Amino acid sequence: MAEMKTKRFSIGYALLSKKQKSFIQDSLVSLAKQRGIDLIKIDTDKPLADQGPFDCLLHKLYGEEWRKQLQDYLVCNPSAIVIDSPEAIERLHNRISMLDVVSEIEQVNGDESHETASFGVPKQIVIYEPERLRDAKAWGEALNFPVIAKPLVADGSAKSHKMLLIFGTDGFDELKTPTVLQEFVNHGGVIFKVYVVGKYVKCVKRKSLPDISEEKLSSLNGSLSFSQISNLTSDERNDDKYYKMMDSEEAAMPPMSLITNIACGLRKAMKLHLFNFDVIRDTKAGNRYLVIDINYFPGYAKMPGYESVLTDFFWDVLNKKEARSFNCEKELMTLVGDNGGCDGETGSHNVSSA
C-alpha cells in the first residue's frame, strides 16, 4: 500500500546575518524538517516576489523598501502568512510608544495568593531640546535623580543600545537629543526577562543593575554607562553575598498569573507574536512590577528548548490555529478568528531562574 504523502510547508526567513547565525541553528532546521516545515533563506539581494512561493514569511528587516516588497509579495500570494506586520513592529522602535501599550492592558487579578500584585511602567519623559536636559523643572512631577537616559529610537542598532545612568545635571554633558529619561527604580539587582512566542510564555531571572541607596547616591555625580556599571560591580557580584541575595525573598519570581496576563495583553494590543519584555520588581512598592523594555524577535536561542517552542508555533501558524490575513488596502495585518488568546488561554507557561 502506497504511503500517503503529507503536505510540506515552507517558511522563508529574511534576517540580518547576526540574527540568522544565532536563530537559524541546525537543531531548529532539523526539528522543523521532521514536522514537515522547511526553513528557506530569502536572498535579500533579489526581489522577494521572484522567490518562493512560501507558505509563511519570517522577518526582522526594516525600511520602506522591505515593507513594499512584503506588500507586493502578498498581492501575488494572498494566502501567505507574514509574521509579523511591519506596522506593528515599528511601534517598538520608539521607546515612548513602546511602553504606552502597557496602559492598554487591563489590570486583572491573578490567583488568590497574588491578587494584590500590580504592574505599570516607570515614570519617563522624552526630551527633544538639549537645553531642557539641564532644566529638571521642565521634566514634570516626581522624576528625580538618578535617571536612566536612553535613545528615543530603539531600532536594534549599536547606537540605540547606548544607555547612561545619570546622577546629576553634570551627567548630561555629552548626551544627545532626542532622549528618553526614565526613573531608576531599585529592584534588588534582578530583572525578569519574559519571552513570548505566540501563546507560549517563559519567564527567566537575570542579574541587573545594583540598587543605589540614598547614602550612596549623595556621593555620586556625573554619569555612568551601563557597561561601566557592570564593571564596577563585577567583584561584588561574584561574591557569595550577591548570589545569596539572588536567592533571597527580593529575588523571588513574579506571580506567573500576572506575567501571563501582561504577555497576553501585550500580544493582543500590539498584534505581535514574537517578542520579549523586561520586568522589574519595585522593592519600595512591594508587590508592584514595572515593564521597562519590549523587544521584537529577541534572542530566542538563549531560551532552553527554543527549537521545540518555535517549531510548535510555526506549526500552529501554518495550520491556521493562529490564522492571519493581510489587508493590502490598509497595509495592516489583522487577526482572523482569534481574540488574541486571552480568553481560555491554552498556551504553555514556564518560569525558570536559569
Side-chain angles (χ1 to χ4, degrees), residues 318-336:
L318 292 162
N319 286 279
K320 307 301 189 224
K321 289 180 185 175
E322 297 252 4
R324 265 147 294 189
S325 71
F326 191 88
N327 184 322
C328 295
E329 291 179 6
K330 293 183 180 178
E331 295 186 29
L332 180 68
M333 188 136 12
T334 54
L335 294 173
V336 177

Side-chain angles (χ1 to χ4, degrees), residues 151-221:
L152 178 62
V153 176
D155 59 3
S157 65
K159 186 172 65 175
S160 73
H161 287 300
K162 287 188 176 177
M163 300 185 196
L164 295 174
L165 185 56
I166 296 178
F167 305 104
T169 52
D170 52 344
F172 292 124
D173 289 348
E174 295 181 23
L175 204 59
K176 293 180 180 176
T177 51
T179 192
V180 174
L181 300 181
Q182 186 181 84
E183 68 172 335
F184 175 80
V185 177
N186 281 334
H187 53 282
V190 178
I191 191 168
F192 303 102
K193 301 191 85 67
V194 184
Y195 293 92
V196 180
V197 182
K199 293 173 184 176
Y200 177 88
V201 181
K202 184 175 181 69
C203 180
V204 300
K205 182 164 57 178
R206 296 280 184 263
K207 287 185 287 185
S208 179
L209 300 181
D211 286 354
I212 301 170
S213 64
E214 294 288 338
E215 184 184 6
K216 197 173 183 180
L217 182 60
S218 63
S219 66
L220 295 167
N221 51 49

Side-chain angles (χ1 to χ4, degrees), residues 123 143 266 297 309:
K123 292 168 186 154
L143 189 62
L266 287 175
F297 203 152
V309 173

Side-chain angles (χ1 to χ4, degrees), residues 39 56 98-99 111 131 151 171 178 192 228 232 256 265 277 331:
L39 296 172
C56 179
M98 174 198 293
L99 294 187
D111 54 50
E131 61 273 13
F192 303 102
Q228 285 174 310
L232 281 172
M256 202 58 203
F277 58 96
E331 295 186 29

